[in-house]
Amino acid sequence: MEYEAVIGLETHVQLKTRSKMWCGCANAFGAPPNTNVCPVCLGMPGVLPVANDEALCLTVLTGLLLHCEIPRFAKFDRKNYFYPDMPKNYQVTQYDCPSTRTGYLDFEFGGGMARVRITRAHLEEDVGKSFHFERHSGLDFNRAGVPLLEIVSEPDLTNSDMAYEYLNALKDVLLQGGISDCDMEKGMVRCDVNVSVRPKGATELGSKIEIKNMNSFSGVRRALEYEIPRQIAVVSKGGKLVQSTRRWDDVAGITEEMRTKEHAHDYRYFPEPDLMPFEPSDAWLAEVQSRVVELPLARKQRLMRDYQLPATDAEVFQSDVELGNYFENVARQVKNPKAVANWIINNLRAKLAESRTGFQPVSDQESAEETRTSATSPSLSTLKFPPQSLVELVGLVENKTISNSAAQQVFAEMFDTGKSPAAIVQEKGLAQVSDTGAIEKICDEVIAANPGPASDFKAGKVAALNFLKGQVMKLSKGKANPGVAGEILERKLKA
Ligand SMILES: [Zn+2]
């Protein structure tokens, strides 16, 4: 019998806010332990939480980006459980009335498109961190109360690669929307994986096994690559799986059982009495709506459609939004957007990278730090030439005023000095020579100097003409119109 896997993911994402969810403490990674804490996030008795408006905004914005419904009534609930890194002994979350529900995420998978339905994206708070030393343990509450978004998918995923691609697509959306920095190294994204198997084509779901607290997408993929065959092996031998929670041991490459359904938590959810329900106004929702950005996939598809770009070019402008905006600004003004894409992708990017590494410091710690920052900082804004110059350059090649090789020189000069292409062409005498008299003279010289290739061409070796044409271009310092040169050479050799 053939089996299939059914996978759903719960993805926890730290929101990109300045302060925590219920207090004014900084939401900052890497501070010394217990320096970003106050009575509220330490769970002292008698304190009152105040909801972070930006966190609510980012939650609803995520809902809009994932095509979710935004209910006009949402509320917060207490999820009760004991854990040393959570001194309140409860976590505030959204249980039965979340801020967003029933959406979807489309992404590219297996050469086509895939859609995973989103059950809900709800707002909650992160807990502190435990550290275990040789003879004692330590607790750091800097993370306690950091706003956390839980994005729950429907069980629409069917294999490990698909889960991996879904997570990456979700991350792209969250990054593009400014929802989270999604820094995996800093634990900003964590995943719980729900996976079961069933006979292929069956409608009933198998026993759900949850793999908790995965902190890398590749870990999720590896855990599923282990867990799915494990489950199939059990049921195909007539064994029975019970609903349970497992953990992934990344070093050993296996999942291990932590607890079964009988030992599942009863969280005794009840409405949070210290917080008002959240009922967004029209004006508030309009404000969030104005922050909706174009999704990465939609952007790629639009660039391919509107500018006839190949997928590889569109992907460059999809991942580098600033560069993409720059491209569109120039491409709108020309007949051949592909030429603009070539200049930006092949020349401009290389030049920018070159100028960034140009002032590599030797040993100074501080300036090394500066270089690292500037390597990621935008540098399109500091370009010496205006976008209009690129429009002009493309036009000069298009109307054959300059050859492609001359255009390379013009671009380099324009990048370094900011001078206009027309001025550079004039100054350096780069205008293409279409004057047949001048080219004819050069062709005669080239044929005389290269009797071998010339007779090769006469004997029928067509490729020899390219060599001779190259010589004409060289002799004319790239100024001869290559089309005219080719015609003249051919005519002379055939004569
Ligand atoms: Zn605090």
Side-chain angles (χ1 to χ4, degrees):
M1 190 186 291
E2 248 194 283
Y3 290 89
E4 64 180 9
V6 179
I7 305 160
L9 295 173
E10 293 166 17
T11 312
H12 293 86
V13 183
Q14 279 184 3
L15 294 178
K16 191 178 177 174
T17 56
R18 289 211 301 271
S19 57
K20 291 188 184 179
M21 189 59 225
W22 316 115
C23 60
C25 291
N27 172 10
F29 181 89
N34 298 308
T35 50
N36 292 327
V37 293
C38 73
V40 174
C41 54
L42 286 174
M44 299 290 174
V47 295
L48 284 174
V50 177
N52 182 327
D53 187 64
E54 177 63 4
L56 287 159
C57 251
L58 293 176
T59 301
V60 170
L61 179 58
T62 304
L64 295 174
L65 293 174
L66 296 176
H67 316 280
C68 290
E69 264 174 49
I70 310 297
R72 300 305 285 258
F73 178 93
K75 69 177 175 65
F76 292 101
D77 303 277
R78 286 190 185 182
K79 179 179 180 181
N80 298 280
Y81 63 101
F82 172 79
Y83 218 75
D85 57 18
M86 194 185 59
K88 288 191 293 197
N89 291 336
Y90 62 83
Q91 180 189 29
V92 178
T93 181
Q94 295 182 312
Y95 183 50
D96 53 348
C97 298
S99 281
T100 81
R101 61 177 179 228
T102 55
Y104 60 87
L105 173 64
D106 287 339
F107 56 100
E108 290 174 316
F109 178 66
M113 294 297 301
R115 171 169 293 186
V116 167
R117 290 168 298 154
I118 303 293
T119 317
R120 54 196 275 161
H122 66 257
L123 186 52
E124 54 188 38
E125 57 179 325
D126 213 338
V127 295
K129 257 190 220 167
S130 312
F131 293 89
H132 302 291
F133 307 103
E134 205 177 324
R135 297 179 63 84
H136 63 285
S137 290
L139 290 166
D140 176 9
F141 292 104
N142 282 347
R143 200 180 66 177
V146 162
L148 199 63
L149 188 66
E150 178 172 341
I151 302 161
V152 182
S153 86
E154 291 288 311
D156 290 346
L157 298 150
T158 54
N159 61 56
S160 54
D161 288 334
M162 193 181 179
Y164 182 76
E165 292 305 329
Y166 160 82
L167 286 169
N168 278 304
L170 183 61
K171 181 182 164 187
D172 285 347
V173 170
L174 297 169
L175 279 174
Q176 193 101 330
I179 311 290
S180 171
D181 285 331
C182 294
D183 191 332
M184 314 288 289
E185 308 263 294
K186 294 178 180 167
M188 289 180 183
V189 186
R190 276 116 61 198
C191 254
D192 296 338
V193 181
N194 293 305
V195 53
S196 61
V197 296
R198 63 184 176 194
K200 207 172 173 123
T203 46
E204 212 174 306
L205 288 171
S207 295
K208 186 173 84 176
I209 312 266
E210 186 176 25
I211 310 169
K212 280 277 202 200
N213 250 325
M214 308 286 308
N215 53 18
S216 82
F217 295 170
S218 55
V220 169
R221 179 155 69 180
R222 285 198 302 278
L224 285 168
E225 279 164 6
Y226 171 85
E227 181 63 16
I228 295 168
R230 185 192 74 82
Q231 292 186 18
I232 291 174
V234 173
V235 293
S236 60
K237 281 185 201 125
K240 226 175 133 45
L241 289 162
V242 289
Q243 190 175 327
S244 55
T245 303
R246 300 177 77 86
R247 65 176 281 273
W248 167 245
D249 183 333
D250 202 56
V251 179
I254 57 166
T255 62
E256 294 170 314
E257 189 166 280
M258 288 164 70
R259 56 176 181 264
T260 53
K261 194 183 177 184
E262 296 89 83
H263 301 99
H265 292 297
D266 174 6
Y267 294 117
R268 291 163 47 247
Y269 285 97
F270 65 84
E272 165 60 56
D274 289 341
L275 286 163
M276 295 288 285
F278 177 59
E279 296 171 276
S281 67
D282 287 343
W284 190 91
L285 285 173
E287 178 82 31
V288 179
Q289 185 72 50
S290 73
R291 291 170 65 175
V292 168
V293 293
E294 185 179 29
L295 292 184
L297 180 64
R299 182 178 176 84
K300 178 181 161 186
Q301 290 169 336
R302 185 176 57 78
L303 290 171
M304 290 173 71
R305 186 185 62 235
D306 291 0
Y307 301 102
Q308 286 86 48
L309 290 185
T312 44
D313 287 7
E315 275 159 18
V316 172
F317 299 135
Q318 171 193 6
S319 52
D320 190 332
V321 175
E322 203 200 354
L323 201 66
N325 291 342
Y326 184 83
F327 161 75
E328 287 199 78
N329 182 16
V330 178
R332 268 187 224 111
Q333 306 176 56
V334 301
K335 272 189 249 144
N336 182 5
K338 175 60 181 146
V340 176
N342 289 347
W343 280 112
I344 293 176
I345 293 172
N346 302 331
N347 298 71
L348 182 58
R349 273 206 312 180
K351 277 283 186 190
L352 285 173
E354 227 172 77
S355 59
R356 266 184 221 131
T357 50
F359 51 97
Q360 201 76 54
V362 195
S363 62
D364 187 343
Q365 194 65 36
E366 236 177 54
S367 54
E369 195 57 51
E370 263 167 38
T371 313
R372 260 202 299 285
T373 338
S374 73
T376 55
S377 68
S379 28
L380 280 172
S381 53
T382 57
L383 282 182
K384 289 189 180 137
F385 64 89
Q388 202 53 41
S389 287
L390 202 51
V391 176
E392 199 184 316
L393 180 61
V394 170
L396 289 174
V397 177
E398 200 99 317
N399 67 22
K400 301 200 162 50
T401 304
I402 53 175
S403 67
N404 275 315
S405 63
Q408 296 289 336
Q409 285 184 58
V410 174
F411 181 84
E413 181 78 9
M414 170 177 125
F415 183 88
D416 291 336
T417 64
K419 286 182 191 160
S420 84
I424 297 166
V425 168
Q426 177 92 45
E427 207 172 278
K428 302 212 170 237
L430 291 170
Q432 199 155 245
V433 178
S434 298
D435 164 17
T436 48
I439 299 177
E440 224 155 304
K441 227 178 109 214
I442 298 174
C443 288
D444 285 337
E445 279 174 46
V446 166
I447 292 170
N450 298 281
S455 57
D456 282 353
F457 178 77
K458 285 177 196 160
K461 273 195 189 162
V462 186
L465 187 69
N466 280 332
F467 171 79
L468 294 170
K469 212 161 91 177
Q471 296 303 306
V472 173
M473 296 307 292
K474 207 165 148 191
L475 214 58
S476 72
K477 299 195 174 66
K479 283 153 62 180
N481 181 322
V484 175
E487 279 165 31
I488 293 175
L489 277 172
E490 213 175 327
R491 175 162 50 77
K492 282 185 183 292
L493 290 167
K494 281 182 177 165

